[in-house]
Amino acid sequence: APNAPNAHGDGTPPSATVPPLPDLPAPHLRDLPFTGGTIDALLREERVFRPLPQVVAGAVVNPQDVTRARARAAADPDGYWEEAAEELEWFRRWDAVHDGSNAPFHRWFTGARCNIVHNALDRHIETGTKNRLALIWEGESGDTRSFTYYQLYREVNRLANALRGLGVGKGDRVIIYMPPLPETVFAMLAAAKIGAVHSTVFGGFSARSLRDRMEDARPAVIVTVDGFYRNGRVIPLKPIADEAVATLPPDLAAGVRHMVVVHRAHMETPMTEGRDIWYHDAVRGQHHEALTEIMDSTDPLFLLYTSGTTGKPKGHVHAHGGYMVGVHRTMRWVFDVKPTDIFWCTAEPGWITGHSYVVYGPLMAGTTTVLYEGHPLYPEPGRVWSMVERLGVTILYTAPTLVRMLMRHGAQHVARHDLTTLRLLATVGEPISPEAWLWFHRHVGRGRCPVLDTWWQTETGMIMLSPLPVSLLKPGSVTRPLPGIEADVVDEHGKPVGPGHGGLLVLQRPWPAMSCGVYNDDESYRRLYWERFPGWYCTGDVARRDEDGYFWIQGRADDVLLIAGHRIGTAEMEAALASHPSVAECAVIGVPDALRGEVAKAFVVLVDDHPPLGTMVNADDLATELVEHVRRELGPVAVIREVTFREGLPRNRSGKIMRRVLRSEELGRDTGDLSTLEDGYV
Ligand code: ATP
Ligand code: MG
């Protein structure tokens, strides 16, 4: 990325802004992720938002329910999840709710028989939900397709029969290499319906990334598309899938028996005789009813990779029973789902958020889910707001990166649209700074809509820490663990650090939608998540609790800075920077410093309407101002030695900032696995 001149290009801290500190620790080697101590709490965010009376009055899940659920879950966790499971349909009831005998490979609802697709589709066909809208899809060029539950059911059944006809059966892997299309949803559900294991690979990934995932997953069938629309361009996908298969070892390549290709972009597409088949040919003549495979609760439903933000992506397996209970409960409670809702989660189906809250959650809850094919700013920065208005979206669930992107383009694009249908806003994926939270709350929610900051992971399968619409909110806080979830913040010995200090975020009790393990790699699962504190799940994130017991995510344990003996998470420094009116986006990393062990370096993207540096604004002056701004906000510990202005930051394809890329560039280190890095970043 093009670099504007550095503020202090020679690398020496200007003494005017950075006074030397006493008590110097030994120089710190940051080869190990967060080891030891507590993390300083720097940010003071004191604004609180009480739920509006109309929100409380209209809530299906009201404050008394929440209090009762917490007490119930604390006294009898298995009983709590058992009640949640009873809201769904099973072919056979469980013998045990939870079996931890082979921990950390926990098993949920053992002995039970079920299929998540029965709950997401089949059972609705017997009720009034049958004729409700299940899915509204919008293409980037404005074409739309909508499906009632009955229509979706038919589509899924036809594809399920087609897949069976192609020889796919229980336990076989189906790779879904697709952009957000209705067929992507059909393919996930059809695979699950026949007991196959789907593994969705985001359509933006390269042949190499797809190949690596195939080598791991060994699919029998790949579902893909000729091409799709993104940012006004047509992106061919089938040739990339071909290339990926061609570079597989011959026995694995031969294992890919078929490629089912959706006809979307009307492009000339090479088809391999005998192996490749058009989607429309595969489903033609297929019956619209299909048998739903009866699965064990613990049978795998899907295999999905983490986002690769902190390292090589890890492939996690989730099973039918536990996953369906956890996702259904959180969908209904966090979003307080009502029959009139139009639910838009902007995540791609290929990420965990898409699995849980675009596809399975909304469909199990019988609500209407929205899927959009293209770039959120195409053809203009008001696209998202135009869709909210035209579709009457009531709940918008998105990522802080998109909020920042939209913020950067200014509130005038929001103001042009009637957003009165919105009743709930939510975010996931990264910490949301109080600044961005307030912008979202004020300009999009117009002060009426709660903003729910939800924390969870690919590994957790479901939302873990989050407010509910009736909760008291603090901008930038994920508030508290949901009922049934036990979380704490501890030091490296597992001792709770108490309010006001940061430490490692751990989950102390298993939960139904938890990962069943890393695919084909039990050892990694043990080592990465369970070794540090036996019996507890270590999230890899750092957080603190405040006096009210509210949790504040401070960033990744891998990214913690150690400045003159103070451990500092990246989130608070970045939030402080982001509160400066010139800053659109930023990332902070630690760099070695002779005096303090380590100091911070900030990478800043300026707001769109900022005058170019070097003309009206001197880059050095602005850098100094930012350094002082952060000091004023956070105190003298927050030492930023250098500010670099950039056009953009390295992000992965779900929009998260990859600080490890900045760090390895800075320190001239090997960059590690870059398979999920967004294109265009050099
Ligand atoms: P990898 O594990 O491969 O490094 P990743 O952790 O980004 O990638 P995901 O499972 O997609 O993969 O993301 C989970 C992570 O996202 C969490 O561990 C956390 O760091 C971050 N995250 C999710 N929600 C929030 C939130 N509300 N606030 C702060 N951080 C969040
Ligand atoms: Mg992770």
Side-chain angles (χ1 to χ4, degrees):
N3 275 14
N6 290 349
H8 314 295
D10 60 0
T12 47
S15 54
T17 51
V18 187
L21 293 170
D23 298 323
L24 306 176
H28 169 67
L29 290 177
R30 62 163 24 269
D31 281 319
L32 287 171
F34 175 72
T35 45
T38 59
I39 297 179
D40 285 16
L42 302 179
L43 189 74
R44 296 260 165 275
E45 173 55 60
E46 260 137 30
R47 288 164 282 204
V48 296
F49 290 78
R50 287 176 197 290
L52 297 175
Q54 62 266 34
V55 171
V56 179
V60 181
V61 179
N62 59 48
Q64 296 84 322
D65 295 329
V66 183
T67 312
R68 251 197 315 268
R70 282 193 202 287
R72 168 94 172 96
D76 175 15
D78 281 3
Y80 175 78
W81 291 119
E82 180 154 58
E83 272 171 26
E86 281 163 355
E87 292 170 7
L88 292 163
E89 291 183 5
W90 302 75
F91 305 132
R92 180 187 187 276
R93 200 180 163 89
W94 45 90
D95 300 323
V97 172
H98 164 240
D99 172 4
S101 58
N102 189 30
F105 304 95
H106 293 269
R107 291 150 47 87
W108 285 83
F109 305 104
T110 50
R113 298 281 168 75
C114 62
N115 188 311
I116 194 170
V117 180
H118 175 82
N119 283 292
L121 279 184
D122 304 356
R123 69 175 172 143
H124 296 316
I125 304 313
E126 311 298 323
T127 72
T129 309
K130 178 183 173 192
N131 301 321
R132 253 199 231 158
L133 267 189
L135 173 66
I136 305 177
W137 173 85
E138 185 162 309
E140 193 183 71
S141 45
D143 41 342
T144 64
R145 293 162 71 193
S146 299
F147 302 84
T148 63
Y149 273 87
Y150 181 63
Q151 290 170 319
L152 180 61
Y153 170 81
R154 289 179 58 107
E155 295 289 350
V156 168
N157 288 342
R158 293 171 70 217
L159 181 59
N161 289 329
L163 289 176
R164 276 193 175 122
L166 294 175
V168 182
K170 195 168 177 168
D172 287 339
R173 273 82 54 216
V174 174
I175 290 245
I176 303 173
Y177 181 50
M178 294 272 276
L181 293 177
E183 286 78 6
T184 314
V185 179
F186 304 164
M188 289 167 71
L189 295 167
K193 179 149 188 156
I194 64 173
V197 179
H198 60 73
S199 185
T200 305
V201 177
F202 169 57
F205 277 150
S206 65
R208 178 67 209 270
S209 307
L210 176 61
R211 189 203 100 112
D212 289 351
R213 283 159 176 71
M214 286 199 295
E215 216 169 352
D216 203 19
R218 299 168 177 245
V221 164
I222 300 173
V223 181
T224 188
V225 66
D226 55 352
F228 66 102
Y229 297 83
R230 185 83 189 176
N231 228 346
R233 288 187 303 148
V234 181
I235 318 257
L237 210 60
K238 166 72 162 59
I240 303 180
D242 284 337
E243 191 189 328
V245 174
T247 54
L248 279 175
D251 58 320
L252 292 191
V256 179
R257 291 198 296 272
H258 295 285
M259 227 191 261
V260 179
V261 187
V262 175
H263 191 73
R264 160 75 181 135
H266 312 281
M267 324 174 62
E268 182 103 26
T269 302
M271 299 288 275
T272 301
E273 183 81 37
R275 183 194 69 181
D276 300 350
I277 176 168
W278 287 104
Y279 184 103
H280 52 264
D281 290 332
V283 298
R284 181 177 301 127
Q286 297 290 350
H287 199 269
H288 64 268
E289 294 286 349
L291 277 180
T292 300
E293 198 74 31
I294 294 182
M295 308 297 286
D296 283 343
S297 169
T298 52
D299 278 338
L301 165 64
F302 62 82
L303 159 63
L304 185 64
Y305 293 83
T306 60
S307 303
T309 313
T310 55
K312 190 173 179 332
K314 302 159 282 273
H316 283 271
V317 178
H318 285 277
H320 277 260
Y323 177 79
M324 99 186 169
V325 172
V327 171
H328 180 249
R329 169 50 61 103
T330 49
M331 179 75 207
R332 294 211 25 245
W333 278 54
V334 173
F335 302 109
D336 197 39
V337 176
K338 299 177 178 145
T340 47
D341 277 322
I342 304 279
F343 184 85
W344 186 15
C345 169
T346 63
E348 300 254 349
W351 300 116
I352 189 65
T353 308
H355 280 51
S356 301
Y357 301 105
V358 174
V359 180
Y360 289 113
L363 296 180
M364 279 193 285
T367 192
T368 305
T369 190
V370 173
L371 189 63
Y372 170 57
E373 175 187 38
H375 192 281
L377 300 183
Y378 185 87
E380 45 91 25
R383 176 65 180 259
V384 168
W385 316 124
S386 146
M387 280 184 64
V388 168
E389 177 173 3
R390 283 182 289 108
L391 304 178
V393 172
T394 57
I395 304 172
L396 181 65
Y397 189 22
T398 189
T401 182
L402 185 61
V403 174
R404 292 193 300 258
M405 211 195 275
L406 294 164
M407 230 174 127
R408 189 173 162 183
H409 284 88
Q412 70 277 14
H413 298 289
V414 194
R416 282 208 312 272
H417 295 276
D418 176 359
L419 304 183
T420 47
T421 54
L422 282 176
R423 68 174 183 85
L424 208 54
L425 304 173
T427 63
V428 60
E430 282 187 299
I432 181 162
S433 75
E435 230 39 53
W437 193 101
L438 289 163
W439 185 90
F440 203 29
H441 186 261
R442 171 200 270 184
H443 293 287
V444 180
R446 315 262 152 102
R448 294 180 301 107
C449 306
V451 174
L452 313 178
D453 179 3
T454 68
W455 180 93
W456 59 296
Q457 307 177 307
T458 307
E459 296 88 335
T460 71
M462 66 191 226
I463 300 174
M464 303 294 282
L465 279 76
S466 167
L468 303 175
V470 295
S471 305
L472 182 145
L473 304 171
K474 302 186 189 185
S477 169
V478 298
T479 75
R480 301 175 62 191
L482 290 174
I485 304 305
E486 255 179 55
D488 205 348
V489 177
V490 301
D491 67 15
E492 81 275 27
H493 306 297
K495 215 169 115 287
V497 299
H501 301 286
L504 294 163
L505 177 65
V506 293
L507 303 169
Q508 295 158 309
R509 191 182 275 292
W511 61 98
M514 67 196 297
S515 165
C516 303
V518 174
Y519 192 61
N520 286 334
D521 193 354
D522 288 357
E523 198 29 52
S524 287
Y525 184 62
R526 241 190 229 110
R527 182 171 44 79
L528 289 169
Y529 306 98
W530 298 91
E531 198 168 62
R532 194 161 205 158
F533 307 114
W536 293 353
Y537 172 89
C538 192
T539 65
D541 285 353
V542 290
R544 73 180 158 88
R545 293 176 88 162
D546 67 16
E547 303 294 334
D548 297 324
Y550 272 35
F551 286 70
W552 301 73
I553 307 295
Q554 293 177 301
R556 310 284 187 140
D558 292 15
D559 295 334
V560 167
L561 282 69
L562 180 57
I563 305 179
H566 295 277
R567 290 179 193 285
I568 300 171
T570 51
E572 293 178 338
M573 276 187 130
E574 289 168 3
L577 269 169
S579 70
H580 189 282
S582 298
V583 176
E585 278 215 291
C586 58
V588 166
I589 62 164
V591 291
D593 178 80
L595 202 60
R596 297 183 182 81
E598 196 170 48
V599 288
K601 171 163 181 173
F603 300 83
V604 168
V605 178
L606 296 173
V607 288
D608 273 6
D609 55 2
H610 199 276
L613 295 179
T615 53
M616 284 159 69
V617 179
N618 181 292
D620 282 3
D621 291 348
L622 180 58
T624 309
E625 189 183 318
L626 291 176
V627 168
E628 275 165 7
H629 175 79
V630 171
R631 248 175 81 86
R632 248 193 331 270
E633 295 283 304
L634 302 181
V637 179
V639 182
I640 298 183
R641 180 171 69 196
E642 193 180 325
V643 178
T644 300
F645 297 103
R646 299 207 166 208
E647 297 286 316
L649 297 170
R651 269 203 286 244
N652 66 26
R653 291 163 196 274
S654 59
K656 301 176 195 222
I657 295 171
M658 290 169 85
R659 289 172 200 79
R660 67 182 166 99
V661 172
L662 294 169
R663 206 158 47 225
S664 50
E665 279 175 7
E666 188 65 27
L667 305 177
R669 290 239 207 96
D670 176 30
T671 44
D673 183 299
L674 294 184
S675 62
T676 67
L677 185 68
E678 204 173 50
D679 283 343
Y681 182 84
V682 222

XYZ file of all heavy atoms in Angstrom, residues 306 310 314 457 459 556, ligand 2:
53
model
N -11.673 -21.307 10.128
C -11.652 -19.991 10.776
C -11.144 -18.963 9.765
O -10.683 -19.323 8.680
C -10.726 -19.999 12.007
O -9.403 -20.337 11.577
C -11.203 -20.990 13.050
N -5.242 -14.707 12.713
C -4.043 -14.790 13.546
C -3.090 -15.899 13.102
O -2.018 -16.034 13.665
C -4.430 -15.049 15.017
O -5.240 -16.220 15.070
C -5.217 -13.885 15.580
N -8.067 -22.852 10.736
C -8.291 -24.151 11.351
C -9.673 -24.672 10.942
O -10.652 -23.929 11.033
C -8.213 -24.008 12.880
C -6.857 -23.448 13.332
C -6.878 -22.818 14.721
C -7.483 -21.430 14.783
N -6.547 -20.331 14.508
N -17.163 -17.035 17.921
C -16.119 -17.517 17.022
C -16.619 -18.681 16.165
O -17.631 -19.301 16.515
C -14.940 -18.067 17.844
C -14.392 -17.138 18.887
C -13.281 -17.797 19.688
O -13.464 -18.884 20.226
N -12.133 -17.149 19.768
N -15.350 -21.413 16.240
C -15.277 -22.544 17.160
C -16.506 -22.634 18.058
O -16.898 -23.727 18.467
C -14.042 -22.404 18.065
C -12.700 -22.465 17.333
C -12.222 -21.105 16.813
O -13.074 -20.220 16.584
O -11.001 -20.937 16.632
N -6.826 -9.410 20.362
C -6.309 -10.770 20.293
C -5.132 -10.913 21.239
O -4.291 -10.015 21.309
C -5.793 -11.051 18.886
C -6.753 -10.688 17.796
C -7.825 -11.719 17.736
N -8.667 -11.489 16.579
C -9.137 -12.478 15.832
N -8.852 -13.722 16.129
N -9.910 -12.209 14.818
Mg -9.812 -17.346 15.942
